[in-house]
Amino acid sequence: MKFKFNKLLTLIVLMLGQLILAQVKTVSGTVSDVNGLPLPGVSIVEKGSNNGTQADFDGKFKINTKQGATLVFSYVSMKTQEVIVTSTVLNIILEEEVTALETIVVVGYGTQKKSEVTGSVSQIKGDAIQGLVTPSFEGQLAGRAAGVQITTSNGIIGEVPRIRIRGIASITSGTYPLVVIDGMPVYTGDIGGYASTNALGDLNPNDIESYEVLKDGAATAIYGSRAANGVILITTKKGKKGTMSINYNNVIGFASAVKTFDLLETPDFLVIANEKRTNRGQAPWAVGDTYNTDWQAAVLNKSALQMDHSLSFNGGSEKTKYFMSIGYTEQSGIAKANDMVRYSMRTNIEHDLNKWLSMGGGLALTRTEYNGLNTGTSSLSGNIFNATRQLPNTPIYDNNNPTGYNLDDTVVGQWDNTDAVGDNIPNIVYVLDHNKYYSKVNRTLANFFISADITKGLNFRMQASADNPITSGFLYWNPVHGDGNSSNGRLQNNNTDLLRWNWQNILNYNKTFAEHHNIGLTLVTEYQKQKNQSFFGVGKGLLDEFYNQNLVTGSYNTQESGGGIIETGIISYIGRLNYNYKQKYFLQGSIRRDGLSQLAPENRWATFTGYSAGWNIAKESFMENINHIVSEFKIRGSYSQVANTNIGSYPYLNLTSPSQYGSLNGIGFTQYGTYDLNWESSKKTDFGVDFSLLNNKIQFTFDYFKNNSDGLILDVPTAPTLGIPNNSISKNTGSVDNTGLEFSIEYNVINKDHLKWNIGANISFIKNEITSLPNGATELPPGTNNIIRVGESINSLYGIKYWGVNPANGNPVYYKADGSLVQGNIPTGTYFVFDPNNPSDLSTSSSLSASTDRVILGNTLPKYYGGFNSKLSYKNLDFSFLFRFSGGNKIFNSTRRDLLTQNLNNNSTEILGRWQSIDNPGDGITPRLWASSNTFTNLTSIATSRFVEDGDFISLDNVTLAYNLPKTVTDIIKVDAFRFFVQAQNMLIITKYKGLNPEMESAGVDLNGTPRAKIFSMGINVKL
């Protein structure tokens, strides 16, 4: 019996062992995305237990579990997937999370879920512009967010783009938005040197994770005194938990001018130039047709090299996450002598010291070098001003001249012509080949933080940051010819050292009470100080051309030096409270108290508040039956009062400055202080709707806004007998309104495994109006082309209205302010009454006055603008494009007027339509030719409607075609992903504007700008 019992016991143990082995098994497989790319770092956990693992570098995993268990696969930005174990091999495909409402957006001093935002915030992902060839990232944000207008006035690398968020909030103070990188308000604008240097050009676009544009009161109020012009928040890439990922991006391309001026070639030039003279009974001055020189092509590059390399490392463990990158960018400009080279390095690191305490920081080091040139719109050596005026029948070079160039002392050589070229312009090619404009920026941007989770929902963060761009500049004017001729050469060195530090203490509390009441509280103290100092040295009368690299002791006769230093600071105390009930009803309030050193002690402190509310109607019970259709229907409103700190340095103080008189030093009264001067304030009101359909497949946003800027700082005239500098005092007087509508839509048209299509569009309508001026005045003294007048928009065009050409004699005809007509008699330079029924009558004299006959010629600010984008992906191919549009504004095309000069200069082909006789009256717009009558014939001292044009346009900003190598290939070449793309930028513009580009304007005036670039490029993105 004992033997039988032992056998039975052995049999039972074996059966139990087999049962246990049947339950516990090793499950393995691969986790990838819908494109077949492996996902390293995916979390795999057995549901209801602590049993778990992570996918390795190749997306592979192994886990011991039992039959029938549920494995939970989760990964950032991917849908969590639960799989029941039925076999030992599981290959999992994770899909992207499509719940866009749960997207996290960066707001001031924190983050929020998109579904909880009650302000107007536009988010642009960094990968939207990654790979685009650009000297600075902000220029590529144009057209991607409603209410945001970004333009560049010319094609010079290093020029600062103009950014407007919901219009212009000031007349004389700064209008640039506040830019914050990883919590640090950074320097913007031009930061010194002699070549143009855009401060934001020091940031490598490949390092940017996202951009958030804060537009309305609720979003901007927390930045208080610095938020009148809007806020742009930039978040750089951070490390992510998982095996190290290596990414390499390379782009190489070539740029050329989008458009150049249509200038006369030698045959037509000879006819036009000599007709100018013969019409007034003089001998021809243009002689010789041996050459047909394209001077415009001589100053522009046709295939300017564009190259960018970026290498990054991203990864981390349970406790430490890191991101590191290095970059190299080289760009040659459309204008010869203009280029940029940037070397960049960035590292961001975060480390969990324990469960409740973490620390980290970031360090970005950049060296950016710019070579520039004289781009003065009215400068004799300005590249476009000069090149468009050169005579096509003269050569660039002359082998008989010791320099090898065609030049005659101070001007370009006249060759066979009887007279020297008009306007006394030098040989621009010699100038570009010999003069130097250089800027080198060494910039350090650093931050350090400590974050403590004090208790559940309560976090304290301390962050210290610093921004330190140091710019050195060098200028050299050759003594032989051009700018340096009159001073026998010129050398200049300068140094600009800017340092800003910022300290923030941030306390965030988030708590849910009674399941449905959600509260978020943010308290901040912020301290910021900056010290800006500069120095320059000048040497004139050079010993020899050899000294063209730097100021060298004893190499020049006349020396000058100078410099300055200024320190400013701001202290802020900030609070924000958010509340929502069931993600249905939302309230937010913020308060900020700022103290600004630039203002008098009595006015130094001010308090700024903001309020907003929202109601997600889609969460109501009566909407339950259509929740599958209406995902979100949130109405919201906000109001805030913010301000503008870009008001100058200590304008309340009476200041003196060193003043030299000959060899003697003295002190001069240079600033009359206005002790009661205060902030420029801005009251922002916004009402909006966020509407989503079909599980957020379609997302629509609408906003109505009104920004009232009050207390604008303007100069109030004073009597000259008071002896006040500039005969004016700065006061808070004047106001301007910006009112508008914004619409944007995102539509996920198709979202299948192998076919995806997303489109987006936005459009903004805006009206700018000046509502008051100093002392109840209706207008300020007008400028050459513009006026500030109550009831009109800022910088409205102001000039004489043009009727056309008198068909009887070719004289220009204008309207006086009372509507009557006068003609300018070109031979005598005087005005006579014009009667269309008797055009040859010159019996009644008249006048045309710049002070009494000018009228408003148009609004220079676009009334609408926006963009349309599309991205289509099919299997391994993707195709995307962006169209941008703008319109409703007028542009005074002053360049066009310059190209119709009556001097011995070249002209545009438009001049071929001039009046020649009664039988050949031409185009009815261009008067008869008359040598040396330019000032009178073209009214060069003021604007006229003859050269005012519509600024409407549609442009194809970029188009990209890309191919991702299939996984079968990437496995062979041992990479995770390999993407190849070709793209084109600025290849098409549709407009009736006759200039190079309707965005090449300043205050609505287009004058001799360098053409913008169209770029064809190709590149690769490799992931290891």
Side-chain angles (χ1 to χ4, degrees):
M1 284 293 295
K2 185 176 181 180
F3 176 72
K4 289 183 178 181
F5 175 78
N6 288 338
K7 288 175 64 177
L8 180 61
L9 182 61
T10 300
L11 182 61
I12 292 172
V13 170
L14 289 172
M15 291 177 65
L16 288 173
Q18 288 178 341
L19 182 62
I20 293 172
L21 289 173
Q23 289 180 331
V24 179
K25 61 175 67 177
T26 299
V27 177
S28 62
T30 302
V31 187
S32 60
D33 63 14
V34 293
N35 295 315
L37 299 176
L39 295 175
V42 172
S43 173
I44 303 104
V45 177
E46 182 180 337
K47 191 173 183 179
S49 74
N50 294 322
N51 180 30
T53 186
Q54 279 189 340
D56 65 13
F57 181 77
D58 297 314
K60 297 178 180 179
F61 70 93
K62 286 184 180 181
I63 184 171
N64 292 324
T65 185
K66 55 183 178 292
Q67 184 79 6
T70 300
L71 297 182
V72 181
F73 295 80
S74 60
Y75 193 65
V76 177
S77 75
M78 295 290 185
K79 286 183 179 179
T80 297
Q81 190 173 147
E82 296 186 2
V83 179
I84 297 174
V85 176
T86 57
S87 67
T88 58
V89 177
L90 294 176
N91 291 318
I92 306 299
I93 297 175
L94 295 184
E95 297 180 353
E96 289 185 10
E97 179 61 66
V98 296
T99 309
L101 295 183
E102 296 309 308
T103 298
I104 300 299
V105 296
V106 179
V107 294
Y109 308 99
T111 60
Q112 282 185 324
K113 292 180 180 178
K114 186 177 180 181
S115 60
E116 298 177 353
V117 172
T118 53
S120 182
V121 180
S122 293
Q123 184 182 63
I124 305 168
K125 290 296 186 181
D127 56 11
I129 69 168
Q130 186 173 347
L132 295 176
V133 177
T134 176
S136 182
F137 69 87
E138 72 271 33
Q140 296 301 326
L141 299 181
R144 300 181 187 273
V148 181
Q149 185 191 27
I150 304 173
T151 60
T152 51
S153 60
N154 60 51
I156 296 296
I157 292 177
E159 284 288 309
V160 178
R162 180 176 58 205
I163 304 176
R164 293 171 179 162
I165 299 176
R166 291 186 169 179
I168 300 179
S170 180
I171 295 176
T172 60
S173 299
T175 58
Y176 208 85
L178 176 68
V179 177
V180 180
I181 300 178
D182 292 335
M184 170 67 187
V186 299
Y187 284 101
T188 55
D190 193 294
I191 52 176
Y194 292 109
S196 299
T197 52
N198 177 15
L200 296 182
D202 297 328
L203 185 60
N204 184 352
N206 293 298
D207 291 341
I208 298 175
E209 184 71 30
S210 69
Y211 311 84
E212 270 81 14
V213 183
L214 312 186
K215 298 181 289 186
D216 74 330
T220 62
I222 200 163
Y223 285 101
S225 64
R226 297 181 285 182
N229 300 314
V231 183
I232 298 177
L233 305 180
I234 299 172
T235 304
T236 61
K237 293 178 179 178
K238 305 297 189 297
K240 297 177 181 178
K241 184 172 64 175
T243 308
M244 182 174 68
S245 173
I246 302 174
N247 291 273
Y248 171 69
N249 302 304
N250 168 247
V251 182
I252 186 168
F254 298 93
S256 59
V258 174
K259 182 181 179 182
T260 56
F261 297 103
D262 293 326
L263 304 179
L264 298 179
E265 296 189 18
T266 294
D268 286 330
F269 162 74
L270 294 173
V271 172
I272 293 297
N274 290 328
E275 188 177 319
K276 295 175 185 177
R277 292 271 281 189
T278 56
N279 278 353
R280 61 179 301 166
Q282 296 176 333
W285 53 8
V287 179
D289 60 2
T290 303
Y291 294 95
N292 187 23
T293 304
D294 187 346
W295 287 88
Q296 190 175 198
V299 301
L300 300 176
N301 287 314
K302 291 184 178 179
S303 298
L305 177 66
Q306 316 289 303
M307 182 167 56
D308 182 81
H309 299 270
S310 179
L311 179 65
S312 66
F313 307 85
N314 188 327
S317 63
E318 288 291 336
K319 288 193 171 185
T320 304
K321 298 184 287 293
Y322 59 87
F323 172 84
M324 294 179 288
S325 75
I326 55 175
Y328 172 79
T329 300
E330 179 181 341
Q331 293 185 10
S332 296
I334 294 304
K336 289 186 177 178
N338 179 216
D339 59 59
M340 179 196 82
V341 175
R342 179 178 62 222
Y343 310 86
S344 65
M345 184 279 290
R346 173 177 293 274
T347 179
N348 289 323
I349 189 168
E350 300 177 28
H351 178 69
D352 295 334
L353 297 173
N354 52 44
K355 291 183 178 180
W356 61 273
L357 184 63
S358 63
M359 62 184 295
L363 176 65
L365 302 175
T366 309
R367 167 176 282 193
T368 312
E369 299 181 44
Y370 298 92
N371 283 299
L373 65 159
N374 185 342
T375 58
T377 55
S378 297
S379 171
L380 298 184
S381 293
N383 62 330
I384 298 302
F385 176 95
N386 184 297
T388 55
R389 284 167 169 75
Q390 293 286 356
L391 310 183
N393 69 333
T394 60
I396 297 172
Y397 304 101
D398 180 4
N399 293 331
N400 295 321
N401 190 291
T403 65
Y405 293 80
N406 175 30
L407 50 87
D408 182 13
D409 194 22
T410 60
V411 300
V412 64
Q414 67 189 55
W415 213 249
D416 295 329
N417 300 304
T418 64
D419 290 58
V421 65
D423 297 330
N424 298 314
I425 55 177
N427 186 320
I428 186 61
V429 176
Y430 181 93
V431 171
L432 293 178
D433 287 348
H434 290 79
N435 287 359
K436 298 179 182 179
Y437 293 77
Y438 175 75
S439 299
K440 178 178 68 178
V441 184
N442 290 318
R443 188 168 190 173
T444 302
L445 189 61
N447 67 74
F448 170 79
F449 74 87
I450 296 177
S451 178
D453 294 323
I454 301 172
T455 186
K456 185 176 181 180
L458 181 62
N459 174 269
F460 172 77
R461 179 185 175 98
M462 182 282 294
Q463 177 169 307
S465 307
D467 183 16
N468 182 208
I470 301 174
T471 305
S472 58
F474 174 68
L475 178 145
Y476 166 70
W477 286 352
N478 182 271
V480 174
H481 188 67
D483 299 303
N485 179 266
S486 61
S487 60
N488 194 32
R490 185 183 184 99
L491 289 169
Q492 289 183 207
N493 281 91
N494 70 2
N495 182 272
T496 303
D497 188 345
L498 310 178
L499 175 62
R500 175 183 295 172
W501 62 260
N502 179 281
W503 185 291
Q504 299 172 8
N505 299 309
I506 306 171
L507 189 68
N508 274 308
Y509 179 66
N510 293 281
K511 183 72 173 179
T512 299
F513 296 94
E515 296 186 9
H516 303 305
H517 300 273
N518 305 292
I519 291 178
L521 176 65
T522 300
L523 300 174
V524 183
T525 59
E526 182 175 12
Y527 311 90
Q528 180 174 298
K529 188 174 182 180
Q530 65 184 37
K531 180 179 180 180
N532 303 337
Q533 51 191 334
S534 62
F535 171 82
F536 71 89
V538 180
K540 294 183 288 186
L542 300 189
L543 178 63
D544 191 89
E545 291 180 60
F546 172 79
Y547 299 100
N548 64 2
Q549 301 295 321
N550 199 79
L551 281 171
V552 177
T553 304
S555 64
Y556 41 86
N557 296 328
T558 305
Q559 59 185 10
E560 301 173 19
S561 63
I565 184 171
I566 186 166
E567 294 184 76
T568 59
I570 184 170
I571 297 176
S572 306
Y573 304 98
I574 306 158
R576 177 176 59 209
L577 178 64
N578 297 305
Y579 167 79
N580 77 73
Y581 175 69
K582 286 187 174 182
Q583 301 285 309
K584 185 189 304 184
Y585 310 113
F586 302 87
L587 293 173
Q588 177 178 293
S590 64
I591 184 170
R592 179 173 179 133
R593 185 158 177 81
D594 283 334
L596 185 67
S597 66
Q598 288 109 301
L599 294 174
E602 289 81 358
N603 301 323
R604 188 162 292 168
W605 288 91
T607 301
F608 306 93
T609 57
Y611 317 93
S612 65
W615 176 25
N616 190 355
I617 302 173
K619 294 285 187 178
E620 295 292 350
S621 58
F622 58 78
M623 297 287 287
E624 287 181 356
N625 293 333
I626 59 171
N627 277 164
H628 63 288
I629 299 175
V630 180
S631 312
E632 182 189 38
F633 181 20
K634 181 168 64 180
I635 58 175
R636 49 183 168 76
S638 69
Y639 173 81
S640 77
Q641 182 174 0
V642 292
N644 187 355
T645 59
N646 297 321
I647 58 176
S649 301
Y650 302 99
Y652 75 95
L653 293 174
N654 291 311
L655 298 179
T656 60
S657 299
S659 179
Q660 288 185 314
Y661 182 78
S663 60
L664 302 176
N665 290 328
I667 292 178
F669 184 25
T670 54
Q671 178 177 295
Y672 179 87
T674 308
Y675 204 75
D676 60 351
L677 203 67
N678 217 319
W679 325 72
E680 290 189 342
S681 66
S682 178
K683 300 178 180 68
K684 297 178 180 286
T685 303
D686 184 280
F687 296 100
V689 176
D690 299 323
F691 190 66
S692 298
L693 299 173
L694 306 175
N695 195 25
N696 309 312
K697 187 173 184 177
I698 302 174
Q699 300 176 64
F700 172 79
T701 300
F702 162 77
D703 281 276
Y704 162 81
F705 65 87
K706 182 173 184 179
N707 299 339
N708 171 248
S709 299
D710 198 9
L712 301 185
I713 298 176
L714 299 172
D715 290 335
V716 179
T718 60
T721 55
L722 295 177
I724 292 175
N726 302 316
N727 297 319
S728 64
I729 298 174
S730 296
K731 289 188 175 182
N732 291 103
T733 176
S735 58
V736 62
D737 285 351
N738 290 281
T739 307
L741 303 172
E742 294 174 1
F743 301 86
S744 63
I745 187 170
E746 296 287 336
Y747 181 20
N748 186 3
V749 183
I750 302 173
N751 187 20
K752 299 184 179 297
D753 289 346
H754 297 299
L755 181 62
K756 298 180 184 296
W757 185 22
N758 295 281
I759 60 175
N762 67 82
I763 186 170
S764 303
F765 300 91
I766 188 167
K767 179 183 179 182
N768 175 276
E769 181 181 355
I770 299 167
T771 53
S772 67
L773 289 172
N775 301 325
T778 58
E779 64 184 44
L780 298 181
T784 302
N785 305 304
N786 305 94
I787 192 170
I788 301 296
R789 176 181 287 179
V790 173
E792 302 290 342
S793 64
I794 291 176
N795 288 325
S796 290
L797 292 177
Y798 191 59
I800 301 294
K801 189 176 179 182
Y802 188 61
W803 181 85
V805 172
N806 183 343
N809 54 26
N811 288 332
V813 180
Y814 304 95
Y815 289 94
K816 290 178 66 67
D818 61 7
S820 62
L821 295 171
V822 297
Q823 59 177 308
N825 189 39
I826 294 176
T828 63
T830 54
Y831 291 97
F832 296 88
V833 171
F834 174 70
D835 181 1
N837 297 316
N838 187 15
S840 60
D841 180 26
L842 294 172
S843 61
T844 306
S845 63
S846 187
S847 64
L848 191 66
S849 172
S851 59
T852 60
D853 288 323
R854 286 197 283 176
V855 296
I856 297 292
L857 299 180
N859 165 47
T860 64
L861 303 178
K863 295 181 180 179
Y864 65 89
Y865 51 83
F868 174 78
N869 64 83
S870 172
K871 184 174 182 179
L872 178 66
S873 301
Y874 177 68
K875 293 186 177 180
N876 295 328
L877 281 171
D878 63 79
F879 173 74
S880 62
F881 63 80
L882 169 67
F883 277 98
R884 194 164 52 84
F885 57 87
S886 176
N889 59 308
K890 299 290 186 179
I891 300 172
F892 176 57
N893 192 342
S894 187
T895 308
R896 184 175 149 216
R897 181 179 65 184
D898 276 14
L899 293 177
L900 295 173
T901 177
Q902 300 296 303
N903 300 329
L904 182 55
N905 297 106
N906 202 8
N907 300 105
S908 69
T909 55
E910 181 180 354
I911 205 168
L912 297 175
R914 80 284 186 194
W915 182 95
Q916 297 182 66
S917 65
I918 295 177
D919 296 328
N920 189 3
D923 57 20
I925 298 174
T926 310
R928 69 186 302 190
L929 305 183
W930 199 269
S932 305
S933 70
N934 197 43
T935 302
F936 184 81
T937 300
N938 292 325
L939 283 188
T940 57
S941 60
I942 54 176
T944 69
S945 62
R946 174 183 170 190
F947 302 105
V948 173
E949 304 178 41
D950 291 336
D952 305 2
F953 73 88
I954 300 174
S955 68
L956 177 58
D957 274 18
N958 54 72
V959 57
T960 304
L961 178 64
Y963 179 71
N964 297 280
L965 293 184
K967 191 174 185 305
T968 53
V969 178
T970 58
D971 287 344
I972 295 173
I973 61 177
K974 305 299 183 183
V975 298
D976 292 340
F978 191 106
R979 180 174 180 263
F980 171 79
F981 62 90
V982 293
Q983 61 187 4
Q985 297 171 231
N986 304 324
M987 299 301 290
L988 173 68
I989 183 167
I990 303 171
T991 181
K992 293 182 180 180
Y993 183 64
K994 296 177 182 178
L996 296 184
N997 189 294
E999 290 187 302
M1000 289 178 55
E1001 50 83 19
S1002 177
V1005 180
D1006 178 353
L1007 180 59
N1008 297 321
T1010 298
R1012 294 170 67 175
K1014 60 182 177 183
I1015 305 168
F1016 176 79
S1017 60
M1018 61 186 69
I1020 58 171
N1021 309 127
V1022 182
K1023 183 177 180 180
L1024 301 173

